[in-house]
């Protein structure tokens, strides 16, 4: 079986150390210590041939055929379409045949076949299966999905089959032949299908399995719905014989006067002259890639050449890269983010992160967010709160969501699902987490909105956990030194003191943590007796607080589940948190009610987490307006602060 975490590439150019990829910004940059990262392009010792390859940067900017739409599906709880009766995978047999991926039809009336995609029901892709068929609402296991499409492959072109996300484990077959396997429910992957497409009818079959396992990322125990299926876009991309596979174009660390990054070529002739242009800013740079297809970018920027990106002015520039026959365009914003003592500095100016946490879920139309309409609705609700910031919890959200945040001027905390109690000592579990973090950073490194890479949430302290997450923090810093690295840390209570001294914080840029005063501990009246003792001279960002409230349920402020209780909790939180000298932001939990199997109360929850500021039918609860008022005041407080000199 293909190794779960291998990232096999179509060309040797991708088999470069990730550290070099992250820091190829010129010899003037300080060398970073080596980091233990599973490198893209390195198969495990027992990996079979696979066409899994590193996703191309800005896949939406390439010529592509969308394979979205209605896919036929077969529910397979016993995995009869994958294993024979001796529980051996059909795709590892001598013939490689026998599974549902053959999409076989009876040869004649004497033949028998126990499945039929043509006669099976269909579901929408992108989309989870739980929300599209009543009998699949609580289903966890294997579902086979098939799409038929027409292709006309051209000589001298490369073709890549791209998936935005499949939850959780995906085995992918094209025209009855296995392309490979991918694990991780929230990050993109793609396959080189250049030599596998045929002219005319082609069919792709995906075995999607959302079964939870202790040693995976996330593990068996979470507080969100385990949506299964092909939940993001599927595309067939066409590329030239030699093409621009990857690039980074961002302002240098703490330097508004220099664009640094790299370009990576792939294909037949990797040594190319590459021209970078930002026409509106009058900026141009020409570099030549080396034998491995890589070149560093180091471009001075004079005063006044670039308008810096910010929530108040989310300026995006058309950035063009051209090499030989290949040309790719992107929309990129330029800004700096750093910390200084208790301050978070955006473009040198101290800011307060007026945020809210969000899940990748539509409360109005059940299921995962399916497209820009859903995503824009949620971000617009955040804007109505006067947010300049969102925490995209607890896993990577889609590339489209990040690009919308760029466009709409919303800062982003991006996270991987290292959540609660992970198998800290299992090396495969770490490799999985590290691969998901790497994929997230590689995908979104050019997005100005992303200012924080989060390596996890509410993980219990131990030596094994500290080592596991410490290595993840090291990976994030090494891959991208221009953004902040954080996690939702542990807290401890003794008497009326809440202490933050999680040893992981030593390797992070923020003192960020969840606290549920007034809900999981203390009452609304008691919470005001608590104070915080934070052991770090770092900006404090409260990553979660909140209370469940059933929309429309009204009582006094002491009655749990009422809108009044939630509203009073928010007011008391502001009194309590404003006493923290280093408080520089918060993301209350959560923007909208969301589904969770952990929440069975038949009246107040009905398998929903009700901590949303907006209900499952889109109605704003009282606390929504209370938070907005607080953020309006914070905006006035920080608008007058001058930028630091650079």
């Amino acid at each position: 079986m293909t190794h779960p975490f291998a990232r096999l590439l179509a060309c040797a150019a991708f088999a470069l150390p990730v550290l070099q990829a992250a820091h190829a910004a010129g010899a003037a940059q300080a060398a970073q210590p080596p980091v233990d990262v599973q490198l893209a392009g390195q198969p495990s010792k027992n990996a079979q041939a696979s066409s899994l390859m590193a996703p191309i940067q800005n896949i939406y900017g390439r010529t592509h055929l969308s394979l979205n739409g209605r896919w036929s599906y077969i529910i397979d709880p016993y995995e009869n379409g994958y294993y024979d009766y001796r529980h051996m995978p059909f795709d590892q047999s001598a013939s490689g045949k026998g599974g549902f991926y053959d999409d076989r039809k009876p040869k004649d009336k004497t033949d028998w076949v126990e499945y039929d995609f043509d006669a099976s029901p269909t579901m929408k892709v992108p989309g989870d299966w739980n929300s599209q068929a009543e009998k699949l609402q609580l289903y966890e296991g294997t579902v086979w999905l098939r799409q038929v499409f027409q292709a006309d492959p051209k000589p001298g072109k490369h073709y890549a089959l791209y998936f935005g996300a499949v939850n959780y484990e995906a085995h992918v077959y094209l025209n009855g032949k296995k392309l490979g396997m991918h694990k991780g429910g929230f990050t993109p992957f793609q396959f080189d299908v250049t030599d596998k497409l045929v002219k005319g009818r082609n069919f792709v079959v995906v075995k999607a399995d959302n079964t939870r396992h202790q040693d995976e990322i996330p593990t068996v125990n979470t507080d969100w719905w385990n949506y299964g299926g092909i939940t993001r876009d599927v595309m067939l991309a066409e590329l030239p014989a030699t093409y621009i596979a990857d690039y980074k174009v961002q302002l240098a660390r703490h330097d508004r006067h220099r664009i640094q990054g790299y370009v990576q070529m792939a294909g037949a002739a990797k040594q190319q002259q590459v021209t970078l242009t930002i026409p509106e800013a009058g900026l141009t740079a020409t570099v030549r890639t080396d034998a491995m297809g890589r070149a560093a970018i180091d471009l001075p920027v004079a005063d006044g050449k670039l308008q810096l990106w910010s929530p108040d002015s989310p300026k995006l520039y058309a950035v063009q890269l051209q090499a030989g026959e290949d040309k790719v365009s992107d929309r990129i914003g330029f800004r700096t983010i750093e910390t200084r003592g208790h301050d978070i500095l955006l473009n040198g100016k101290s800011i307060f992160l007026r945020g809210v946490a969000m899940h990748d879920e539509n409360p109005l139309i059940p299921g995962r967010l399916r497209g820009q309409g859903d995503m824009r609705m949620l971000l617009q609700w955040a804007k109505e709160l006067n947010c300049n910031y969102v925490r995209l919890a607890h896993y990577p959200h889609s590339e489209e969501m990040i690009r919308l945040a760029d466009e709409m001027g919303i800062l982003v905390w991006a996270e991987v699902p290292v959540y609660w109690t992970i198998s800290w000592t299992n090396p495969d579990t770490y490799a999985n987490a590290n691969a998901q973090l790497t994929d997230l950073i590689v995908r979104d490194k050019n997005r100005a909105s992303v200012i924080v890479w989060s390596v996890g949430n509410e993980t219990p302290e131990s030596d094994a956990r500290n080592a596991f997450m410490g290595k993840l923090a090291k990976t994030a810093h090494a891959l991208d030194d221009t953004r902040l690295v954080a996690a939702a840390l542990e807290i401890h209570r003794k008497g009326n003191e809440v202490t933050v001294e999680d040893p992981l914080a030593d390797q992070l840029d923020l003192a960020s943590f969840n606290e549920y005063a007034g809900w999981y501990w203390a009452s609304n009246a008691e919470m005001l007796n608590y104070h915080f003792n934070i052991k770090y001279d770092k900006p404090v960002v409260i990553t979660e607080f909140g209370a469940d409230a059933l929309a429309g349920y009204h009582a006094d402020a002491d009655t749990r589940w009422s809108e009044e209780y939630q509203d009073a909790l928010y007011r008391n939180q502001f009194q309590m948190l404003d006493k923290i000298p280093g408080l520089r932001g918060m993301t209350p939990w959560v923007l909208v009610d969301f589904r969770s199997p952990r929440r069975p109360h038949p009246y107040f929850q009905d398998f929903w987490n009700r901590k949303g500021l907006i209900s499952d039918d889109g109605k704003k609860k009282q606390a929504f307006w209370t938070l907005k008022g607080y953020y309006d005041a914070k905006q006035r407080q920080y608008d007058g602060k001058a930028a630091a000199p650079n």
Side-chain angles (χ1 to χ4, degrees):
M1 181 181 293
T2 304
H3 189 274
F5 316 115
R7 297 294 190 268
L8 302 179
L9 310 180
C11 62
F14 285 103
L16 289 173
V18 171
L19 187 59
Q20 177 190 359
H23 294 286
Q29 285 188 288
Q32 296 291 327
V35 59
D36 182 16
V37 179
Q38 175 148 358
L39 304 180
Q42 299 304 306
S44 69
K45 293 178 181 178
N46 62 348
Q48 295 182 341
S50 172
S51 51
L52 190 65
M53 60 189 292
I56 296 165
Q57 184 70 199
N58 186 19
I59 189 72
Y60 291 95
R62 314 312 298 245
T63 299
H64 64 267
L65 171 70
S66 173
L67 300 186
N68 294 346
R70 307 293 308 196
W71 288 52
S72 302
Y73 72 91
I74 298 171
I75 306 168
D76 188 14
Y78 276 27
E79 298 189 294
N80 290 329
Y82 185 71
Y83 294 107
D84 67 16
Y85 78 109
R86 300 296 190 192
H87 207 66
M88 293 296 294
F90 289 113
D91 61 31
Q92 293 183 29
S93 67
S95 68
K97 295 184 178 298
F100 287 0
Y101 52 85
D102 291 336
D103 193 15
R104 195 168 77 83
K105 303 294 183 290
K107 296 187 293 291
D108 53 41
K109 67 181 182 180
T110 68
D111 196 11
W112 59 273
V113 178
E114 293 186 306
Y115 65 95
D116 187 345
F117 278 111
D118 290 337
S120 295
T122 63
M123 70 172 64
K124 293 179 182 178
V125 169
D128 62 274
W129 64 57
N130 309 81
S131 63
Q132 297 193 59
E134 184 177 359
K135 63 183 176 182
L136 287 170
Q137 183 179 16
L138 295 169
Y139 180 71
E140 293 182 319
T142 286
V143 172
W144 295 85
L145 299 104
R146 186 208 65 178
Q147 179 67 293
V148 177
F149 63 96
Q150 298 292 315
D152 185 15
K154 301 177 180 63
K157 298 289 188 181
H158 282 284
Y159 293 89
L161 180 60
Y162 168 92
F163 294 84
V166 179
N167 192 35
Y168 171 78
E169 180 176 306
H171 295 251
V172 182
Y173 306 82
L174 180 65
N175 298 328
K177 302 294 184 182
K178 189 165 190 175
L179 298 177
M181 184 265 278
H182 177 266
K183 276 192 178 184
F186 307 98
T187 52
F189 58 97
Q190 67 186 43
F191 299 93
D192 180 5
V193 295
T194 304
D195 300 324
K196 300 173 179 65
L197 287 172
V198 297
K199 183 178 178 63
R201 183 185 186 274
N202 292 260
F203 65 96
V204 59
V205 175
V206 176
K207 176 186 182 291
D209 184 354
N210 70 333
T211 304
R212 292 167 295 125
H213 296 286
Q214 175 61 45
D215 293 335
E216 304 293 1
I217 302 293
T219 185
V220 292
N221 194 16
T222 68
D223 190 15
W224 65 82
W225 206 269
N226 184 28
Y227 290 111
I230 303 173
T231 57
R232 294 177 189 158
D233 291 326
V234 185
M235 294 181 274
L236 179 68
E238 181 182 273
L239 303 157
T242 299
Y243 58 93
I244 299 165
D246 193 14
Y247 54 87
K248 180 180 181 182
V249 182
Q250 287 282 279
L251 287 180
R253 186 171 186 260
H254 303 171
D255 188 350
R256 285 171 261 173
H257 297 103
R258 187 167 297 278
I259 290 174
Q260 290 185 329
Y262 62 87
V263 61
Q264 174 68 57
M265 301 298 299
K270 300 180 185 66
Q271 287 185 284
Q272 292 279 330
Q273 180 173 292
V274 184
T275 301
L276 164 71
T277 57
I278 309 176
E280 187 179 350
L283 294 172
T284 302
T286 300
V287 297
R288 186 164 185 82
T289 56
D290 61 19
M292 297 298 289
R294 182 170 296 274
I297 294 169
D298 194 340
L299 178 60
V301 179
D303 281 331
K305 280 286 188 179
L306 284 179
Q307 177 185 335
L308 298 183
W309 185 98
S310 72
D312 294 330
S313 180
K315 175 64 178 177
L316 299 175
Y317 286 90
V319 176
Q320 299 171 355
L321 289 154
Q322 184 160 6
E325 298 180 9
D326 198 22
K327 183 177 182 179
V328 62
S329 298
D330 206 344
R331 297 177 71 221
I332 296 177
F334 299 94
R335 56 99 194 94
T336 61
I337 190 75
E338 59 190 302
T339 64
R340 188 176 304 164
H342 285 159
D343 283 328
I344 299 171
L345 303 177
L346 177 67
N347 301 326
K349 180 181 177 181
S350 180
I351 61 167
F352 188 91
L353 299 177
R354 309 187 307 270
V356 70
M358 293 169 50
H359 264 298
D360 179 32
E361 180 176 346
N362 188 333
L364 306 182
I365 304 172
R368 284 272 177 245
L369 301 179
R370 295 175 177 83
Q372 285 197 17
D374 292 359
M375 298 170 197
R376 195 179 291 274
M377 176 184 73
L378 294 188
L379 292 178
Q380 186 57 45
W381 278 340
K383 296 277 282 188
E384 289 178 32
L385 266 173
N386 196 18
C387 290
N388 60 6
Y389 173 62
V390 292
R391 180 188 182 203
L392 300 182
H394 286 294
Y395 38 76
H397 290 219
S398 75
E399 180 177 344
E400 285 186 289
M401 176 66 90
I402 308 298
R403 287 182 176 274
L404 275 176
D406 269 12
E407 173 193 318
M408 296 174 68
I410 301 177
L411 299 161
V412 167
W413 163 301
E415 189 164 285
V416 290
V418 178
Y419 182 92
W420 290 358
T421 306
I422 301 296
S423 296
W424 304 115
T425 59
N426 186 325
D428 284 343
T429 304
Y430 174 78
N432 187 341
N434 200 64
Q436 292 190 45
L437 177 64
T438 300
D439 290 347
L440 171 65
I441 294 173
V442 168
R443 188 192 72 180
D444 294 334
K445 60 182 175 288
N446 289 309
R447 306 280 70 84
S449 55
V450 179
I451 60 168
V452 178
W453 304 121
S454 169
V455 297
N457 175 77
E458 285 184 357
T459 53
E461 294 175 26
S462 71
D463 289 343
R465 171 269 201 175
N466 297 342
F468 185 111
M469 296 190 70
K471 288 194 295 181
L472 290 180
K474 187 178 179 182
T475 292
H477 280 301
L479 288 170
D480 181 10
D481 66 356
T482 69
R483 291 174 172 86
L484 310 180
V485 178
L489 300 171
E490 286 288 271
I491 62 173
H492 301 282
R493 302 192 314 276
K494 186 175 182 179
N496 290 331
E497 182 173 84
V498 181
T499 303
V500 183
E501 51 180 349
D502 188 328
L504 180 62
D506 292 331
Q507 302 183 63
L508 304 176
D509 297 301
L510 303 174
S512 44
F513 55 90
N514 303 345
E515 56 83 11
Y516 278 94
W519 190 251
Y520 293 124
W521 49 274
S523 66
N524 270 343
E526 296 166 341
M527 65 188 289
L528 292 176
N529 297 324
Y530 283 83
H531 66 277
F532 288 85
N533 180 4
I534 300 171
K535 303 292 188 179
Y536 304 97
D537 182 25
K538 297 181 180 186
V540 176
V541 176
I542 311 301
T543 36
E544 291 180 31
F545 69 80
D548 283 80
L550 178 64
Y553 177 65
H554 294 285
D556 58 44
D558 294 324
T559 302
R560 299 263 181 164
W561 308 103
S562 70
E563 288 195 40
E564 288 76 11
Y565 189 97
Q566 185 188 49
D567 187 57
L569 181 143
Y570 269 71
R571 295 177 187 276
N572 289 348
Q573 282 279 349
F574 301 148
Q575 289 187 54
M576 180 178 66
L577 297 177
D578 274 338
K579 296 175 183 177
I580 300 174
L583 184 69
R584 292 298 183 270
M586 60 181 64
T587 48
W589 191 260
V590 58
L591 179 65
V592 294
D593 291 350
F594 62 94
R595 294 166 184 80
S596 172
R598 292 176 57 85
R599 311 293 173 170
H601 191 285
Y603 182 79
F604 293 117
Q605 294 168 310
D606 191 24
F607 295 104
W608 286 76
N609 187 310
R610 299 292 186 185
K611 294 184 181 67
L613 294 163
I614 299 174
S615 69
D616 60 358
D617 56 1
K619 292 183 173 60
K620 298 178 176 67
K621 303 176 190 177
Q622 288 180 203
F624 180 98
W625 305 108
T626 297
L627 179 60
K628 183 184 185 307
Y630 178 77
Y631 281 166
D632 289 347
K634 282 296 181 185
Q635 182 179 21
R636 292 190 294 270
Q637 177 186 345
Y638 277 78
D639 274 353
K641 295 193 176 185
N646 185 30

